[in-house]
Structures are given as C-alpha cells and as structure tokens.
Amino acid sequence: METKEERIARRHQERDAQMKASPGYLTFSIMFTLAYPFIAVFTFLMSTLLALFSGISRGMAWIISGGKSK
C-alpha cells in the first residue's frame, strides 16, 4: 500500500501529465519558444533606453545643481 506522500506525488504527476497534454499548454509552449528571441531583444532595448535616459537625467540634475549632485 502506498503512503500518503506517495499518493500525493502520484496525483501531482498525473495532473502535470494531463496538463502538459492539453492544447492550451502546447500552444503556449510553442508560442513562448517562438517569441522568446523577440522578448529578449525588446527587454534589452528597453533596458538600454532606460539607462540612456537615466544618464541624461542625472547629467541634467548635475548641471542644474552646479556640479554638487552625486
């Protein structure tokens, strides 16, 4: 006879297998895999823009403060 922990683990494995066989899971997995390069490039570009504008803002604050801003 299986223990409670084994029964719970088996149910989780069965549920995971059932979920992974669903059309929604398969569609999401494929779409995410195809979109990942675009997500990575978008994240890189947005991070670069943020760093650029942050630098400009810090530079303007330094100029306005007369060079006293850190």
Side-chain angles (χ1 to χ4, degrees), residues 2-19:
E2 66 182 352
T3 65
K4 181 178 179 181
E5 290 80 13
E6 291 170 341
R7 189 170 60 249
I8 291 171
R10 180 179 48 79
R11 286 182 183 164
H12 284 194
Q13 288 173 346
E14 290 171 359
R15 186 188 62 208
D16 290 347
Q18 186 179 13
M19 178 193 68

Side-chain angles (χ1 to χ4, degrees), residues 9-11 16 23 26 31 33 38 46-47 52 54 58 61:
R10 180 179 48 79
R11 286 182 183 164
D16 290 347
L26 294 173
M31 294 303 293
T33 302
F38 299 103
M46 289 298 115
S47 298
L52 176 69
S54 178
R58 290 178 65 181

